[in-house]
Protein backbone atom coordinates (compact mmCIF):
# COMPACT_ATOMS: atom_id res chain seq x y z
CA UNK A 1 0.00 0.00 0.00
CA UNK A 2 1.35 3.44 -0.93
CA UNK A 3 0.24 6.76 0.54
CA UNK A 4 1.15 10.06 -1.08
CA UNK A 5 1.18 13.33 0.80
CA UNK A 6 2.09 16.85 -0.27
CA UNK A 7 3.80 19.29 2.07
CA UNK A 8 3.88 23.01 1.39
CA UNK A 9 5.95 23.94 4.47
CA UNK A 10 8.22 22.60 7.19
CA UNK A 11 5.18 22.75 9.50
CA UNK A 12 3.28 20.43 7.12
CA UNK A 13 6.21 17.99 7.03
CA UNK A 14 6.43 18.05 10.85
CA UNK A 15 2.66 17.48 11.16
CA UNK A 16 2.70 14.50 8.82
CA UNK A 17 5.65 12.98 10.70
CA UNK A 18 3.76 13.54 13.95
CA UNK A 19 0.67 11.77 12.61
CA UNK A 20 2.77 8.71 11.75
CA UNK A 21 4.50 8.79 15.14
CA UNK A 22 1.12 8.80 16.88
CA UNK A 23 0.22 5.54 15.08
CA UNK A 24 3.61 3.81 15.44
CA UNK A 25 3.71 0.43 17.18
CA UNK A 26 6.60 -1.49 18.77
CA UNK A 27 8.97 -3.18 16.35
CA UNK A 28 8.25 -0.96 13.35
CA UNK A 29 11.15 0.23 11.21
CA UNK A 30 10.70 3.37 9.13
CA UNK A 31 13.25 4.08 6.42
CA UNK A 32 13.65 7.67 5.32
CA UNK A 33 15.22 8.56 1.98
CA UNK A 34 15.66 11.93 0.30
CA UNK A 35 18.30 14.39 -0.83
CA UNK A 36 20.06 16.79 1.51
CA UNK A 37 17.73 19.52 2.68
CA UNK A 38 14.39 17.86 1.85
CA UNK A 39 13.22 17.79 5.47
CA UNK A 40 14.15 14.34 6.78
CA UNK A 41 15.10 15.75 10.18
CA UNK A 42 11.96 17.93 10.36
CA UNK A 43 9.89 14.84 9.55
CA UNK A 44 11.76 12.92 12.28
CA UNK A 45 11.17 15.70 14.81
CA UNK A 46 7.45 15.47 14.07
CA UNK A 47 7.55 11.68 14.34
CA UNK A 48 9.23 11.98 17.74
CA UNK A 49 6.59 14.48 18.87
CA UNK A 50 3.94 11.95 17.85
CA UNK A 51 5.59 9.48 20.22
CA UNK A 52 5.44 12.03 23.04
CA UNK A 53 9.13 12.90 22.95
CA UNK A 54 9.71 16.50 24.02
CA UNK A 55 13.51 16.69 24.12
CA UNK A 56 15.28 18.22 21.10
CA UNK A 57 15.70 15.79 18.20
CA UNK A 58 18.60 16.38 15.85
CA UNK A 59 20.17 14.32 13.12
CA UNK A 60 22.79 12.01 14.67
CA UNK A 61 25.10 12.32 11.65
CA UNK A 62 28.33 11.90 13.60
CA UNK A 63 27.09 9.42 16.21
CA UNK A 64 24.97 7.35 13.75
CA UNK A 65 22.40 6.48 16.46
CA UNK A 66 20.50 8.52 19.00
CA UNK A 67 17.97 6.91 21.36
CA UNK A 68 15.02 8.78 22.85
CA UNK A 69 13.33 6.92 25.69
CA UNK A 70 10.92 9.46 27.16
CA UNK A 71 8.00 8.81 24.78
CA UNK A 72 5.41 6.05 24.79
CA UNK A 73 7.91 4.00 22.74
CA UNK A 74 11.70 4.29 22.53
CA UNK A 75 12.75 5.92 19.29
CA UNK A 76 15.99 4.70 17.74
CA UNK A 77 16.97 7.45 15.30
CA UNK A 78 19.70 6.40 12.89
CA UNK A 79 21.48 8.63 10.39
CA UNK A 80 23.62 6.29 8.30
CA UNK A 81 24.91 8.94 5.88
CA UNK A 82 28.50 8.33 7.03
CA UNK A 83 28.32 4.52 6.97
CA UNK A 84 30.84 3.23 4.43
CA UNK A 85 29.79 -0.40 4.66
CA UNK A 86 26.60 -1.92 6.13
CA UNK A 87 28.83 -4.19 8.26
CA UNK A 88 29.66 -1.08 10.35
CA UNK A 89 26.11 -1.30 11.68
CA UNK A 90 27.16 -4.41 13.64
CA UNK A 91 29.38 -2.22 15.83
CA UNK A 92 26.38 -0.11 16.76
CA UNK A 93 24.32 -3.15 17.75
CA UNK A 94 21.59 -2.33 15.24
CA UNK A 95 19.85 -5.70 15.64
CA UNK A 96 18.90 -4.86 19.24
CA UNK A 97 17.16 -1.76 17.89
CA UNK A 98 15.64 -3.36 14.78
CA UNK A 99 14.18 -6.29 16.68
CA UNK A 100 13.43 -4.65 20.02
CA UNK A 101 10.32 -3.09 21.52
CA UNK A 102 10.97 0.42 20.26
CA UNK A 103 10.56 2.07 16.86
CA UNK A 104 13.41 2.71 14.42
CA UNK A 105 13.62 5.62 12.02
CA UNK A 106 16.59 5.43 9.64
CA UNK A 107 17.72 8.43 7.60
CA UNK A 108 19.64 7.61 4.37
CA UNK A 109 18.38 4.02 4.69
CA UNK A 110 19.18 3.22 1.06
CA UNK A 111 22.86 3.05 2.12
CA UNK A 112 22.20 -0.03 4.30
CA UNK A 113 19.54 -1.67 2.12
CA UNK A 114 21.20 -5.11 2.43
CA UNK A 115 20.53 -5.41 6.15
CA UNK A 116 17.03 -3.96 6.29
CA UNK A 117 14.12 -6.29 7.01
CA UNK A 118 11.68 -6.67 4.11
CA UNK A 119 8.70 -5.34 6.10
CA UNK A 120 10.10 -1.82 6.65
CA UNK A 121 7.84 1.16 6.12
CA UNK A 122 9.60 3.10 3.37
CA UNK A 123 9.31 6.90 3.27
CA UNK A 124 10.66 8.98 0.42
CA UNK A 125 10.71 12.78 0.51
CA UNK A 126 11.29 14.67 -2.73
CA UNK A 127 11.45 18.33 -3.73
CA UNK A 128 9.78 19.70 -6.85
CA UNK A 129 10.87 23.29 -7.36
CA UNK A 130 8.25 23.74 -10.07
CA UNK A 131 5.68 23.44 -7.25
CA UNK A 132 7.52 25.93 -5.03
CA UNK A 133 10.64 26.15 -2.89
CA UNK A 134 8.98 24.57 0.18
CA UNK A 135 6.99 21.90 -1.68
CA UNK A 136 7.69 18.28 -0.76
CA UNK A 137 6.14 15.06 -1.99
CA UNK A 138 6.13 12.44 0.76
CA UNK A 139 5.52 8.84 -0.27
CA UNK A 140 4.96 6.10 2.31
CA UNK A 141 5.10 2.45 1.21
CA UNK A 142 3.90 -0.20 3.61
Amino acid sequence: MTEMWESRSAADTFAYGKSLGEKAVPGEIYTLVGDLGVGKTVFTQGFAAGLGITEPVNSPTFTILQSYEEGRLTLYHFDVYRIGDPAEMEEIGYEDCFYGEGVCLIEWADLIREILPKDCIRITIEKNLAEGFDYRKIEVQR
Side-chain angles (χ1 to χ4, degrees):
M1 177 176 97
T2 301
E3 299 170 35
M4 299 289 269
W5 198 77
E6 293 183 329
S7 170
R8 299 275 175 194
S9 67
D12 285 351
T13 301
F14 182 96
Y16 188 62
K18 184 176 181 186
S19 72
L20 287 182
E22 289 169 345
K23 300 173 200 162
V25 298
E28 286 183 325
I29 299 172
Y30 293 79
T31 65
L32 195 49
V33 175
D35 292 336
L36 281 170
V38 296
K40 293 183 299 293
T41 301
V42 170
F43 179 92
T44 301
Q45 290 167 338
F47 190 92
L51 291 172
I53 295 167
T54 58
E55 68 183 282
V57 174
N58 296 301
S59 192
T61 302
F62 295 101
T63 58
I64 311 298
L65 171 64
Q66 180 68 45
S67 299
Y68 301 93
E69 299 180 4
E70 71 167 310
R72 65 179 179 83
L73 298 171
T74 298
L75 172 61
Y76 299 106
H77 179 201
F78 291 85
D79 182 330
V80 298
Y81 184 74
R82 299 199 183 282
I83 292 284
D85 183 325
E88 293 176 43
M89 292 291 288
E90 295 284 339
E91 298 170 21
I92 298 167
Y94 80 93
E95 289 181 331
D96 292 338
C97 301
F98 281 19
Y99 304 106
E101 292 300 310
V103 176
C104 294
L105 196 145
I106 308 164
E107 294 188 41
W108 299 98
D110 51 336
L111 299 175
I112 59 166
R113 171 180 307 125
E114 305 87 52
I115 63 170
L116 293 172
K118 294 198 184 323
D119 61 348
C120 291
I121 298 165
R122 302 179 193 288
I123 301 167
T124 305
I125 304 177
E126 298 176 335
K127 290 182 184 181
N128 181 345
L129 294 177
E131 292 285 333
F133 182 76
D134 292 325
Y135 175 88
R136 304 292 186 267
K137 180 177 85 172
I138 302 172
E139 181 178 286
V140 179
Q141 295 177 321
R142 295 180 183 268

